[in-house]
Amino acid sequence: MEKMSETEINERLASMEGWGYEENAIHTSLEFDDFKDAFTVMTRIAFEAEKMNHHPDWSNVYNKLEITLSTHDAGGVTEKDFKLAKIIDDLVS
Ligand SMILES: C[C@H](O)[C@H](O)[C@H]1CNC2=NC(N)=NC(=O)C2=N1
């Protein structure tokens, strides 16, 4: 899958609330009521990621979840990252 240009990435991000571009990846920060809610969403994301064979880089501290998406093989952001970002947005909205 082909790495997208920074211009293309920023165009796509313009219509996505809560996501930003930095260091060859797109990022979002999510906050939940508690750990249980955060981990429930992580589990749902994990199953979707596994289906796509495309996995987030993430960290969780109690009710907070930081997510970074990039396509490691391409060394940057590809359409797959936007596909997973959309799935994540749909899961939390
Ligand atoms: C072997 C396996 O298909 C690859 O390592 C997949 C797995 N998940 C992946 N996830 C992400 N984010 N980027 C990849 O390049 C990637 N590659």
Side-chain angles (χ1 to χ4, degrees):
M1 190 144 291
E2 206 184 320
K3 185 176 158 173
M4 292 164 74
S5 72
E6 193 165 341
T7 310
E8 208 179 339
I9 293 164
N10 283 319
E11 273 170 19
R12 294 289 291 273
L13 287 177
S15 61
M16 292 169 61
E17 212 172 307
W19 289 87
Y21 176 67
E22 211 172 58
E23 292 185 1
N24 277 311
I26 55 172
H27 308 264
T28 197
S29 304
L30 300 171
E31 197 171 321
F32 302 90
D33 287 345
D34 54 22
F35 176 75
K36 177 177 61 64
D37 283 359
F39 202 77
T40 298
V41 167
M42 290 174 78
T43 306
R44 291 183 179 145
I45 295 170
F47 278 105
E48 293 302 324
E50 191 58 17
K51 270 195 245 168
M52 287 177 69
N53 190 32
H54 193 65
H55 304 92
D57 298 348
W58 57 11
S59 69
N60 159 245
V61 178
Y62 183 54
N63 64 335
K64 294 193 172 72
L65 178 58
E66 303 272 348
I67 303 177
T68 294
L69 302 179
S70 73
T71 304
H72 308 143
D73 294 351
V77 177
T78 67
E79 202 56 53
K80 275 191 178 180
D81 299 300
F82 282 98
K83 192 176 169 201
L84 184 55
K86 167 84 169 70
I87 288 170
I88 292 169
D89 282 347
D90 288 346
L91 281 172
V92 298
S93 66

